[in-house]
Amino acid sequence: MPTNVVQDRLGDLFVREGLITETQLTEALREARKENTRLGYALVKLGFVTEGELTALLARQYRVPAVDLDAIQVSPKVLRLVPDEVAIKHLVLPLRRVGRMLTVAMVNPSDLGAIDDLKFISRLDVEPVIVGEFTLRKHLEKYYASAEDRMSEILEDLIDEQDVEFVEEQEEDVSVAALQAEVNNAPVVKFINGLLTDAVYKGASDIHIEPYEREIRVRYRIDGALREVMKPPFKMKAALTSRIKILSDLNIAERRVPQDGRIKLRMRGKVVDFRVSTLPVIFGEKIVLRILDKGNLTFDLAKFGFEPKAEKDFFHAIAQPYGMVLVTGPTGSGKTTTLYSALSKINTEDVNIMTAEDPVEYNLHGINQVLVRNEIGMTFAAALKAFLRQDPNIIMVGEIRDIETGGIAVKAALTGHLVLSTLHTNDCPSTITRLIDMGLEPFNVASALNLLTAQRLVRRICSGCKTEATYEEEYLTAARVPLDWASETTFYRGAGCDKCDGSGYKGRQGLYEVMAMSPRLRKAIMEEKGTDELRDIALSEGMLTLRMDGLKKVERGITTLDEVVKETSAQG
């Protein structure tokens, strides 16, 4: 029903109830249409009724409770459930959340479009309560400041300007230096410094800066999940992009092709690297900064959470003088960190360690790291060939992508070198099938391999809000979780608190499937047995699949069943 019709009918109700006269109604309707506000707001503004009288009448009319906003303090966690532009557009204010129910103060509780929007955005059920528009607008201004005010608040407590110093990789030419001096005068400098520092202190792995038609969105990836943190003023778009490009030594005039660079930032005594990638999108350039913070990196394999047999097998394999150790899993599953940790454990002054990486993420002291650059012919295969003439003991190849790289790696493993590498496969047995499908000889694969590790990362339950959880039998059956095991296990989840920003998770934990080579397995590989047969042999020798390892982490209350089911398959 059109708004003006609703207003007219409410006006008649006010007259019928004796709140106002017909003359006052006509004047208030004229004021409401002129100022493009609701009738109630106009009545209060003109002094014809008090807001308390108006709210009490509307509460009876709509059959919803009225609320006194002055008596309520809304928590920042609840405010984040409804973005400011949605709250101002629909004149709503989230008040509290209890379980799946979000209580929202509204001027018009019959606005089903607004309620549907709130349900979609918050992913919660919505319970409306009524409030006067005059009071609501005042509280919206209090809780949802303007974009510039919010930015100031975000930056206020983040950093002291003296704590941040950009470390130049090399001298810049005069033209870029002049341009940088220009950008240094802009207020965007404080924003960029604050943004980078805030992301590091919150433990983010990536920062996404995304331009849209009428807004810029900034998101952090924390514990593998993206979450929106702010929307900078739209007018900052060009300056923000240029500032980041200058800091990472990119061409600010080139906006049509992707570019890659690095920023080095010294903050409070430690140096953090940011890998910068720009990508032209239809409304500007999307920028992603990967945060490479060595301070947050754990290279101690003993803290990774391997089960006892898996840990013993892994340590034994990387201590061998030759052979191949492969780590497999999808992008972002922590393969590189596992390999770096293995290298750190065996990095002594009496061995020559060489790595070929694309890109080199962390600089490790005592290890010769080579950057792979396909455009100039410096491929993984070319780097490997060169390594074999450099008297290496241990070689790490970033990834085995083709038969040429795989062939040289196998040859190196068979001729007295320890080779570490990664593959993008789902589990250990399918990695062997993949190597043979790539064109490598089964007897070479069987002879070269020492050990395979498949891994995934799952989120840890937040210790600040850990609580018991239950699962329906239908869910357990659909996820192919053993019901007898479930009946004897106490499940946990995070309820959501300020410490974990309402997510229920804080930090991540690895799940590991470690398959050590045995005579039976080597024989099965040479006979080109299928993936299922290889898995059965490994299981009979004590291997835990990713799912089995995950369920052990669930038993110990480290992670949730949902995370394990999401990241692992029932047979693997």
Side-chain angles (χ1 to χ4, degrees), residues 460-491:
R460 283 176 168 268
I461 299 170
C462 171
S463 58
C465 56
K466 188 174 178 179
T467 181
E468 285 193 21
T470 55
Y471 292 92
E472 298 293 330
E473 191 172 316
E474 292 83 1
Y475 174 84
L476 297 171
T477 306
R480 295 166 71 183
V481 173
L483 295 179
D484 53 345
W485 172 83
S487 65
E488 296 170 6
T489 303
T490 305
F491 297 107

Side-chain angles (χ1 to χ4, degrees), residues 131-256:
V131 69
E133 183 172 351
F134 202 82
T135 302
L136 182 64
R137 285 184 183 274
K138 184 178 75 179
H139 281 79
L140 282 174
E141 285 175 17
K142 169 185 160 188
Y143 286 117
Y144 292 110
S146 69
E148 283 82 355
D149 292 342
R150 283 202 322 281
M151 198 56 58
S152 300
E153 284 170 25
I154 290 165
L155 296 172
E156 236 167 49
D157 303 321
L158 287 181
I159 53 162
D160 186 351
E161 285 293 295
Q162 279 73 41
D163 287 343
V164 176
E165 173 195 345
F166 287 93
V167 183
E168 303 297 344
E169 293 283 2
Q170 56 190 33
E171 289 296 314
E172 293 177 321
D173 62 49
V174 179
S175 60
V176 174
L179 192 50
Q180 187 166 3
E182 216 172 284
V183 177
N184 277 343
N185 295 326
V188 76
V189 170
K190 189 175 180 186
F191 170 69
I192 295 294
N193 289 358
L195 178 70
L196 301 184
T197 311
D198 182 45
V200 170
Y201 290 149
K202 283 187 175 162
S205 61
D206 301 85
I207 307 169
H208 291 239
I209 303 170
E210 302 163 315
Y212 295 99
E213 190 170 11
R214 293 189 177 86
E215 66 181 24
I216 310 168
R217 179 169 70 167
V218 177
R219 294 189 290 173
Y220 294 165
R221 189 179 291 281
I222 299 175
D223 296 335
L226 278 170
R227 62 181 76 160
E228 185 177 309
V229 286
M230 64 183 90
K231 287 183 178 170
F234 188 63
K235 62 187 180 188
M236 287 176 66
K237 184 172 83 167
L240 198 151
T241 305
S242 298
R243 172 72 179 165
I244 291 175
K245 282 178 148 187
I246 285 173
L247 291 172
S248 45
D249 201 18
L250 301 179
N251 180 0
I252 64 169
E254 181 55 80
R255 301 183 185 93
R256 300 160 302 167

Side-chain angles (χ1 to χ4, degrees), residues 74-82 94-97 102 144:
V74 184
S75 79
K77 195 168 87 173
V78 172
L79 281 175
R80 283 197 293 271
L81 294 170
V82 179
L95 301 180
R96 65 175 175 270
R97 176 188 174 180
L102 178 66
Y144 292 110

Side-chain angles (χ1 to χ4, degrees), residues 368-511:
N368 305 287
Q369 295 171 274
V370 172
L371 175 63
V372 167
R373 297 175 65 187
N374 292 322
E375 68 274 13
I376 58 167
M378 186 58 162
T379 60
F380 280 119
L384 262 177
K385 284 178 186 171
F387 286 177
L388 294 174
R389 295 191 291 273
Q390 289 271 322
D391 183 32
N393 299 98
I394 299 162
I395 296 170
M396 184 186 112
V397 190
E399 186 187 341
I400 294 177
R401 294 178 181 169
D402 51 52
I403 186 172
E404 187 182 11
T405 311
I408 302 166
V410 165
K411 178 185 164 191
L414 292 171
T415 54
H417 307 90
L418 180 64
V419 178
L420 283 69
S421 190
T422 72
L423 251 85
H424 286 108
T425 50
N426 290 327
D427 58 11
C428 293
S430 61
T431 306
I432 293 167
T433 314
R434 168 80 189 280
L435 289 170
I436 294 169
D437 288 347
M438 206 183 272
L440 298 175
E441 294 291 346
F443 61 86
N444 280 337
V445 172
S447 306
L449 279 177
N450 284 354
L451 176 130
L452 296 164
T453 299
Q455 68 180 68
R456 298 289 186 280
L457 289 176
V458 292
R459 292 181 289 175
R460 283 176 168 268
I461 299 170
C462 171
S463 58
C465 56
K466 188 174 178 179
T467 181
E468 285 193 21
T470 55
Y471 292 92
E472 298 293 330
E473 191 172 316
E474 292 83 1
Y475 174 84
L476 297 171
T477 306
R480 295 166 71 183
V481 173
L483 295 179
D484 53 345
W485 172 83
S487 65
E488 296 170 6
T489 303
T490 305
F491 297 107
Y492 295 94
R493 65 176 178 83
C497 62
D498 288 338
K499 183 180 172 186
C500 61
D501 209 14
S503 69
Y505 296 101
K506 188 79 175 170
R508 288 199 282 178
Q509 165 70 50
L511 306 182

Side-chain angles (χ1 to χ4, degrees), residues 188-373:
V188 76
V189 170
K190 189 175 180 186
F191 170 69
I192 295 294
N193 289 358
L195 178 70
L196 301 184
T197 311
D198 182 45
V200 170
Y201 290 149
K202 283 187 175 162
S205 61
D206 301 85
I207 307 169
H208 291 239
I209 303 170
E210 302 163 315
Y212 295 99
E213 190 170 11
R214 293 189 177 86
E215 66 181 24
I216 310 168
R217 179 169 70 167
V218 177
R219 294 189 290 173
Y220 294 165
R221 189 179 291 281
I222 299 175
D223 296 335
L226 278 170
R227 62 181 76 160
E228 185 177 309
V229 286
M230 64 183 90
K231 287 183 178 170
F234 188 63
K235 62 187 180 188
M236 287 176 66
K237 184 172 83 167
L240 198 151
T241 305
S242 298
R243 172 72 179 165
I244 291 175
K245 282 178 148 187
I246 285 173
L247 291 172
S248 45
D249 201 18
L250 301 179
N251 180 0
I252 64 169
E254 181 55 80
R255 301 183 185 93
R256 300 160 302 167
V257 295
Q259 297 185 67
D260 295 297
R262 287 178 92 98
I263 297 175
K264 240 184 173 61
L265 180 67
R266 181 178 288 119
M267 59 176 73
R268 295 182 183 168
K270 68 174 180 177
V271 175
V272 180
D273 275 314
F274 296 83
R275 206 171 71 222
V276 182
S277 169
T278 71
L279 177 73
V281 291
I282 55 174
F283 295 114
E285 288 176 278
K286 170 167 174 161
I287 298 173
V288 177
L289 299 98
R290 164 65 56 89
I291 300 171
L292 307 171
D293 181 6
K294 267 195 274 196
N296 277 350
L297 210 57
T298 304
F299 282 157
D300 184 357
L301 279 167
K303 293 179 181 173
F304 273 38
F306 282 101
E307 294 301 317
K309 180 185 183 302
E311 181 177 75
K312 183 182 168 192
D313 288 343
F314 190 83
F315 282 12
H316 180 261
I318 61 173
Q320 297 305 301
Y322 55 85
M324 185 183 277
V325 174
L326 291 179
V327 181
T328 78
T331 303
S333 59
K335 300 187 297 295
T336 306
T337 304
T338 300
L339 286 182
Y340 278 165
S341 304
L343 289 176
S344 296
K345 187 168 179 63
I346 53 184
N347 180 16
T348 57
E349 65 174 38
D350 56 348
V351 292
N352 176 20
I353 302 177
M354 311 204 68
T355 75
E357 302 172 58
D358 179 21
V360 175
E361 293 203 355
Y362 295 97
N363 306 322
L364 302 175
H365 179 71
I367 293 174
N368 305 287
Q369 295 171 274
V370 172
L371 175 63
V372 167
R373 297 175 65 187

